[in-house]
Amino acid sequence: MSSKPVLYTHTISPAGRAAELAVKALNLDVEIREMNVFKGQHMTDEFKKLNPVQTIPTLDDNGFLVWDSHAIMIYLARRYGAGTDLYTDDFEQQARINAALFFESSILFARLRFCTDNLTVLGKSAIPEKNLQRALEGLQRLESLLQSDYVAGDHLTIADLSCVSSVTTLHLMLKPSAEDFPKTFAWIERLAQLPYYGEVMGRGLKAAGELMQMLGEKNSAK
């Protein structure tokens, strides 16, 4: 007898929020199981049996295990997204979506990590200026990428859900202006109208903002 899939995630994680947005967009009945990475809940031997690289998010779909938010989103959209435009069998559009997902992974999220790793240890004031500048350049590239209403064309795809999770977290840190990034801010506002966006992103960004503030205060007091 099959049971509903389980998504192991942490609301503060942009990758976790991206996977959860995909779950909501597909209207799937998935158990969301929070793993507090700051308490090392993803580093247990039990979790290692599910995911040998011990990262979140991780999806357990009745014994089929997949990790990495991008892989999870593609899997869910391909398996359960018939009749939606979140992913596609069209080779050209699929390439556009995949390119945007790889852009999120290699540029947006990677440059976010360069900043947050320093923030965790040293506080924002100690983040190397070159890291902040590279993160800002990542946002500038997204601004250039947005040639339509969405990152991979004229309709919502999983690429938007992936990118917006990292972009909004970068915005918390870098505080860019709508004047400098008009297409990006309009795109975020467009996504914010999705009925499930506030539920997932609201609590996640609130937690991320509180963490950044706490770390900033902690490190400035040293």
Side-chain angles (χ1 to χ4, degrees):
M1 181 178 178
S2 63
S3 56
K4 64 183 180 182
V6 178
L7 180 68
Y8 296 87
T9 185
H10 192 188
T11 190
I12 208 167
S13 162
R17 292 198 298 276
E20 193 172 348
L21 284 172
V23 167
K24 298 292 187 181
L26 291 162
N27 197 29
L28 300 178
D29 185 14
V30 173
E31 178 184 346
I32 305 299
R33 192 168 298 178
E34 281 284 328
M35 304 287 290
N36 191 321
V37 297
F38 300 114
K39 295 181 179 179
Q41 292 178 347
H42 62 310
M43 299 303 293
T44 64
D45 290 339
E46 181 181 3
F47 189 70
K48 190 174 184 179
K49 294 176 184 177
L50 298 176
N51 177 352
V53 297
Q54 295 179 279
T55 55
I56 53 121
T58 294
L59 179 73
D60 181 353
D61 189 1
N62 285 284
F64 176 71
L65 301 166
V66 58
W67 50 91
D68 182 275
S69 63
H70 311 88
I72 290 170
M73 297 170 85
I74 292 171
Y75 167 77
L76 290 174
R78 290 296 301 272
R79 181 154 190 173
Y80 300 109
T84 77
D85 291 325
L86 290 172
Y87 203 64
T88 180
D89 289 325
D90 177 81
F91 292 138
E92 293 184 3
Q93 176 63 359
Q94 191 176 109
R96 294 186 192 100
I97 295 172
N98 290 346
L101 290 172
F102 298 150
F103 169 77
E104 191 282 331
S105 177
S106 62
I107 301 294
L108 296 175
F109 184 70
R111 296 185 184 192
L112 172 63
R113 283 294 301 270
F114 286 144
C115 294
T116 55
D117 286 351
N118 285 106
L119 177 68
T120 301
V121 177
L122 301 170
K124 183 178 178 181
S125 61
I127 298 175
E129 182 60 32
K130 66 178 182 179
N131 287 9
L132 293 171
Q133 184 58 40
R134 283 176 63 79
L136 186 63
E137 288 171 0
L139 294 180
Q140 290 166 343
R141 292 190 187 189
L142 176 69
E143 182 74 8
S144 298
L145 179 82
L146 283 165
Q147 298 298 310
S148 301
D149 284 348
Y150 299 93
V151 296
D154 61 1
H155 62 269
L156 179 76
T157 70
I158 58 172
D160 295 286
L161 305 180
S162 181
C163 288
V164 77
S165 299
S166 285
V167 169
T168 49
T169 307
L170 281 166
H171 278 202
L172 283 177
M173 181 176 297
L174 300 174
K175 302 189 184 307
S177 70
E179 182 179 355
D180 291 333
F181 297 91
K183 291 189 291 186
T184 300
F185 273 76
W187 167 72
I188 293 173
E189 182 58 31
R190 202 169 292 120
L191 295 184
Q193 303 308 308
L194 296 169
Y196 47 83
Y197 181 93
E199 176 189 351
V200 176
M201 297 294 286
R203 53 184 161 80
L205 291 173
K206 181 176 183 291
E210 289 172 349
L211 176 65
M212 289 180 190
Q213 182 178 1
M214 179 190 72
L215 291 172
E217 292 172 351
K218 177 181 178 181
N219 288 291
S220 64
K222 287 183 178 179

